[in-house]
Amino acid sequence: PTHPELLDHLATRFVADGWSVKALHRRIVLSNTYQVSSVPPANARAADPDNRLLSHFPRRRLDLEQVRDSLFA
């Protein structure tokens, strides 16, 4: 993992919350990192060109089968 401290923190909270997957999912989705825009700030691309620090979500195109599956979901 690229961020072992974060993984340890989430595992600790997962156990402390009574092994609740719903609580873990809520914690991740409501985090600031999860909610940042996919458009990187101007200085982020210069400071982290490979996005190793996860400053933004990388955009990717979906193929037709993935689009169809997402519509059914």
Side-chain angles (χ1 to χ4, degrees), residues 3 9-11 13 20 25 31 33 37 44 57 59-60 62 68:
H3 297 81
H9 171 74
L10 289 174
R13 294 304 311 157
S20 172
H25 188 253
S31 72
T33 304
S37 174
F57 187 79
R59 292 183 176 187
R60 59 185 170 96
L62 298 177
R68 180 185 64 91

Side-chain angles (χ1 to χ4, degrees), residues 10-24:
L10 289 174
T12 303
R13 294 304 311 157
F14 182 56
V15 173
D17 290 338
W19 301 87
S20 172
V21 176
K22 184 176 181 179
L24 177 65

Side-chain angles (χ1 to χ4, degrees), residues 30 36-37 41 46-47 61 72:
L30 293 178
V36 295
S37 174
R61 296 187 72 99
F72 285 134

Side-chain angles (χ1 to χ4, degrees), residues 24-42:
L24 177 65
H25 188 253
R26 182 182 302 120
R27 182 178 307 280
I28 292 170
V29 171
L30 293 178
S31 72
N32 186 39
T33 304
Y34 187 85
Q35 296 177 13
V36 295
S37 174
S38 64
V39 178

Side-chain angles (χ1 to χ4, degrees), residues 36-52:
V36 295
S37 174
S38 64
V39 178
N43 61 352
R45 193 158 303 273
D48 185 22
D50 296 330
N51 196 27
R52 294 190 60 133

